Amino acid sequence: MRTPIAYFLLLSAILFALGSASVLMRRNALRIFMGVELQLNSVNLTLVAFSRMHLELDGQILAFFSMVVAAAEVVVGLAIIVAVFRRTGTTDVDRADVLRG
Amino acid sequence: MIDLIGLAIAIPLAAAAVNMLVGARLGRFAGWLATGAMAVSFAIALGALLDLLSLPAADRAQVVTVAEWIRAGAATVTLDLRVDPLSITMAMVVTGVGSLIHLYAIGYMEHDPMPGRFFGYMNLFCAFMLALVLANDFLLLYLGWEGVGLCSYLLIGFWSERPEAARAAKKAFITTRVGDVMLLLGLFVIWIHFGSFDFDTVLGGEGSLPEIATGTATAISLLMLGGAVGKSAQLPLHVWLPDAMAGPTPVSALIHAATMVTAGVYLVVRTHVLFEISDVALTVVAVIGLAGALYAGFASLGQYDMKRALAYSTMSQLGFMFLAAGLGFNAVAISLLVAHAFYKALLFLTSGNVMHGLHDEIDVRRLGGLVRDMPWTAALFAAGALALSGLPPFSGYFTKDAILELASHDGEVWAYVLGSLGALVSAWYIARLFFTAFIGDQRYEGRAHEASTLMRAPLVVLAIGALFAGMWLAFTPEGRLATFLEPVVGTVAEGHAGPSTQVLVAISVVLTLLGIAIAWRLYRPAAAERWVSFPEREPGLAGALGHAFYIDDLYAWIVGTVGLGGAAALEWFDRTVVDGAVNGVGRLAVRASGLAPIWQSGKVRRYALSFLAGGVALLVFAAVRV
């Protein structure tokens, strides 16, 4: 018996909500980053679930792409965070607001 | 020599250039260079005059083409000079009297630190004045006209470190500008109507009248009269002339007595054909002249500054010239112009002697008895005064009184009566100056030193001219100068109205003697206390005479109070309303743009929230659509 799709989607929604909450409420850049990863992986979960539901591989392939891009994004994002930390001595994103209008 | 007449302009111009460029290194030589240039110019003009006299009367209008001047499309303007009896007479006055005044100025300006600049301007003035009188078209005439105005400005303000000189220079330039603009408008009308500036086209050569409607002729004449009134300091644009005396005295003699101020008379006489077509314009000329002659005569009586009194006297004499031109007696107007150039230059230069000998003291209340320290100057002044007063046989009689005589014979009773009153006042004011400054008790400190020989020599020549030129040229209507001028200025059919000539001469002599007697009664040495204290005793009358009936003050009030008030109101309107509107639009844009950066907070989490809200909104939108 196959697990109904709704369970996967529900888990994915919960993960995405947790990730979003982390992004919106945390001020530490690293924690925000973790929230972003959580969001990405919740979406990956959705892709894989639908892929299995349709018995096609497109979704799983897209999930791999997503992981690769996420890995690259982590590299760039961490580099930015390190650079900001070196310059300002903090990873508090609310204090990195030099681009305000 | 007629072909060389262009050199009469070019040589003073070249000397002016040399003096203005390297005059500072020339020292005393600057004056001699300028005087020499004027003497050469005079010799050329004299040669041209003699050549002209050798021609038959009908051929005495020679045009010399110097160069092509302007080529604009089909219209070309050539630089033409006209040698005819009128222009050569004017040129003789400018170069002859001009040379003598230059010679005098060498002595007068010997202590000035910048003789090069002074003589440069003087030569430049003479070049422009010669261009004005020798022009064969209105364009070159206008060039000279503006040029002499410029030189007048530069020379009145020559001592630019004195505030009153700088002010007087500006006043002269701006006041005459009012007239110059009218002249320019007149030239525009001429161009529109005739399509040419050439004298022969516009004024009609060989006795033929130009084809022009009376109304157009009136318009042109009155506009040109406006220019003449400004340049010749006639009512109502006369206010600059008395103030112009702030310049060096040779300038007053050359520009503001002998030559430039007569340019207006020359213009009216030169274009008399147009004035005669329009009867109205001719009457206006006569009325302005007569009013100016009387007004300035009385104003002169109230002046204690000798040079200002002489300035009003100049204006009065110019009024007589305008009266003559307005009545159609052009030849006599020019005769008076020539005679006046001699005696008024002489009078100004003798007052210059007084200033030179007494450290610029010129107020007659602090002079008196100068005849003892300066016998030459006193005698020379007396010669000028005699010539001006109109006693026969001196110049004034043959010119000023000739105008009145002709007026009476023509039946112009009002012009004769009022003009005779003006003649009486002339004798009165000039005798007043002589009695107050040169005889009686000495009222100045120290001793006045008599002018040097260099300064006296040209004055003696001028005095001979002032006294006897009238007689020599026989300035009567049938006299030699008048006959010489007739081909240009037209003939006057002598009338036979009114009393005979003998009676008129007797009346004229009696009136002149009466004027001198009044002056003696009022200003004789024994009465010195009375006239010196006159302003305290009669402040009303003395104020009216001294301020020349407050016309200047009226203008000052109009420009100063009304004009500046209006300007201030406009300035307020500009700043508050016009600028306010413009600045308001700008401020509005700034305020509006201040609202935009609310979104640009720089807070990453807010951006993320917007991002999420946008995503949610899209999802909701998609759900609702389905």
Side-chain angles (χ1 to χ4, degrees):
Chain A
M1 178 184 163
R2 295 164 70 176
T3 313
I5 187 80
Y7 291 2
F8 292 102
L9 292 183
L10 189 63
L11 178 61
S12 172
I14 290 168
L15 286 176
F16 191 84
L18 288 172
S20 298
S22 178
V23 168
L24 292 179
M25 293 160 78
R26 293 294 172 186
R27 292 196 294 182
N28 188 309
L30 285 172
R31 284 166 186 264
I32 290 174
F33 222 60
M34 290 176 198
V36 173
E37 291 303 321
L38 211 50
Q39 286 175 311
L40 281 168
N41 283 309
S42 76
V43 174
N44 284 349
L45 180 58
T46 316
L47 287 169
V48 173
F50 280 120
S51 171
R52 228 182 72 125
M53 190 181 93
H54 292 295
L55 294 175
E56 285 178 21
L57 287 176
D58 300 8
Q60 297 186 35
I61 292 166
L62 197 58
F64 279 117
F65 272 119
S66 170
M67 282 175 200
V68 171
V69 171
E73 177 246 315
V74 166
V75 171
V76 174
L78 278 177
I80 291 173
I81 289 168
V82 169
V84 169
F85 181 77
R86 278 194 183 156
R87 196 171 174 79
T88 63
T90 178
T91 52
D92 183 347
V93 292
D94 280 5
R95 286 174 63 187
D97 60 351
V98 290
L99 286 178
R100 71 176 176 278
Chain B
M1 291 296 264
I2 289 178
D3 293 336
L4 296 178
I5 197 72
L7 286 177
I9 301 175
I11 289 173
L13 199 60
V18 171
N19 260 337
M20 282 193 273
L21 290 175
V22 296
R25 296 185 193 165
L26 294 178
R28 269 183 74 88
F29 182 65
W32 289 107
L33 173 70
T35 310
M38 286 312 296
V40 173
S41 188
F42 173 72
I44 294 169
L46 185 65
L49 172 68
L50 293 176
D51 278 3
L52 206 61
L53 283 171
S54 67
L55 293 170
D59 293 340
R60 287 183 187 162
Q62 302 285 323
V63 176
V64 181
T65 302
V66 177
E68 188 177 276
W69 187 13
I70 299 169
R71 187 189 294 169
T76 52
V77 180
T78 48
L79 196 58
D80 284 351
L81 298 178
R82 184 183 187 86
V83 180
D84 68 8
L86 179 57
S87 66
I88 203 71
T89 306
M90 293 296 293
M92 289 299 288
V93 171
V94 175
T95 54
V97 177
S99 305
L100 292 172
I101 294 173
H102 275 72
L103 186 61
Y104 174 88
I106 296 174
Y108 191 81
M109 302 299 283
E110 67 186 339
H111 301 304
D112 195 273
M114 282 181 289
R117 190 159 70 91
F118 177 80
F119 284 103
Y121 291 164
M122 290 281 274
N123 266 180
L124 187 65
F125 166 79
C126 290
F128 276 127
M129 189 70 203
L130 286 168
L132 195 167
V133 299
L134 289 171
N136 188 41
D137 56 66
F138 285 101
L139 207 57
L140 184 58
L141 181 144
Y142 189 72
L143 177 84
W145 189 273
E146 293 290 11
V148 293
L150 167 72
C151 294
S152 166
Y153 165 80
L154 291 172
L155 284 164
I156 296 170
F158 180 73
W159 288 316
S160 53
E161 70 277 8
R162 301 182 186 173
E164 78 272 12
R167 264 200 304 275
K170 278 186 285 183
K171 185 173 174 181
F173 196 72
I174 294 167
T175 312
T176 50
R177 176 112 329 245
V178 177
D180 293 351
V181 169
M182 283 198 262
L183 175 62
L184 191 59
L185 292 176
L187 297 192
F188 291 162
V189 182
I190 287 178
W191 181 263
I192 291 167
H193 188 83
F194 293 100
S196 167
F197 282 134
D198 203 62
F199 282 163
D200 283 331
T201 315
V202 178
L203 304 172
E206 303 298 321
S208 64
L209 288 180
E211 291 176 10
I212 187 168
T214 315
T216 319
T218 308
I220 295 173
S221 307
L222 288 181
L223 284 169
M224 285 199 297
L225 178 64
V229 160
K231 200 59 102 190
S232 291
Q234 290 299 295
L235 291 170
L237 295 178
H238 64 283
V239 293
W240 63 272
L241 187 59
D243 288 12
M245 300 303 130
T249 305
V251 173
S252 309
L254 178 62
I255 301 185
H256 306 115
T259 54
M260 186 190 82
V261 290
T262 62
V265 182
Y266 168 76
L267 182 68
V268 172
V269 171
R270 172 61 79 187
T271 58
H272 69 100
V273 180
L274 294 174
F275 280 88
E276 277 157 14
I277 292 173
S278 152
D279 223 21
V280 181
L282 215 52
T283 314
V284 174
V285 175
V287 169
I288 284 181
L290 191 53
L294 280 173
Y295 163 86
F298 281 109
S300 175
L301 288 174
Q303 307 303 318
Y304 289 100
D305 180 321
M306 243 171 117
K307 279 181 72 182
R308 283 183 79 89
L310 288 174
Y312 278 111
S313 156
T314 303
M315 181 188 161
S316 167
Q317 300 285 310
L318 289 165
F320 277 109
M321 294 176 211
F322 273 91
L323 172 66
L327 294 174
F329 313 143
N330 293 315
V332 194
I334 296 297
S335 306
L336 178 55
L337 191 161
V338 175
H340 176 254
F342 279 107
Y343 59 68
K344 192 51 64 68
L346 174 65
L347 288 170
F348 266 114
L349 294 183
T350 45
S351 75
N353 278 358
V354 174
M355 286 174 85
H356 203 248
L358 270 175
H359 310 292
D360 287 351
E361 182 58 76
I362 197 69
D363 188 322
V364 289
R365 284 171 296 196
R366 290 189 295 275
L367 297 172
L370 277 172
V371 68
R372 283 181 291 278
D373 279 346
M374 309 179 90
W376 277 92
T377 302
L380 290 165
F381 189 94
L386 276 177
L388 189 149
S389 65
L391 276 180
F394 306 120
S395 293
Y397 164 75
F398 286 103
T399 52
K400 187 155 45 81
D401 287 282
I403 296 169
L404 301 174
E405 217 172 273
L406 281 171
S408 172
H409 285 322
D410 243 23
E412 306 278 2
V413 178
W414 53 272
Y416 175 73
V417 173
L418 292 175
S420 298
L421 178 62
L424 185 151
V425 176
S426 301
W428 179 357
Y429 66 64
I430 202 65
R432 165 182 180 270
L433 281 185
F434 183 76
F435 293 152
T436 52
F438 289 99
I439 63 171
D441 297 327
Q442 178 178 333
R443 290 185 295 277
Y444 56 89
E445 302 288 318
R447 282 181 64 81
H449 67 86
E450 178 62 283
S452 61
T453 319
L454 178 62
M455 287 164 73
R456 286 203 302 264
L459 295 191
V460 171
V461 180
L462 279 174
I464 293 168
L467 288 175
F468 305 115
M471 197 162 41
W472 183 62
L473 290 170
F475 284 155
T476 48
E478 55 280 352
R480 284 154 65 188
L481 181 63
T483 322
F484 179 57
L485 287 171
E486 258 171 17
V488 185
V489 301
T491 49
V492 180
E494 200 178 344
H496 298 283
S500 68
T501 305
Q502 286 84 351
V503 177
L504 291 175
V505 171
I507 293 175
S508 143
V509 172
V510 168
L511 283 178
T512 305
L513 291 174
L514 183 64
I516 297 172
I518 293 172
W520 177 254
R521 175 96 183 76
L522 291 175
Y523 310 109
R524 66 185 191 279
E529 282 305 311
R530 274 179 56 80
W531 69 261
V532 169
S533 64
F534 177 65
E536 284 91 63
R537 282 184 294 113
E538 298 275 356
L541 184 58
L545 289 175
H547 284 82
F549 309 101
Y550 299 107
I551 289 187
D552 201 11
D553 305 74
L554 176 70
Y555 289 175
W557 181 79
I558 290 172
V559 175
T561 310
V562 182
L564 283 185
L570 284 174
E571 198 260 349
W572 176 87
F573 179 82
D574 185 55
R575 212 176 36 205
T576 316
V577 180
V578 179
D579 279 10
V582 174
N583 292 342
V585 170
R587 222 172 281 137
L588 196 69
V590 169
R591 290 264 172 80
S593 67
L595 295 174
I598 288 176
W599 310 104
Q600 307 278 322
S601 62
K603 307 278 191 231
V604 173
R605 298 187 304 148
R606 262 189 228 175
Y607 295 167
L609 183 60
S610 317
F611 206 68
L612 191 68
V616 171
L618 278 174
L619 281 179
V620 169
F621 179 69
V624 171
R625 279 273 301 256
V626 171

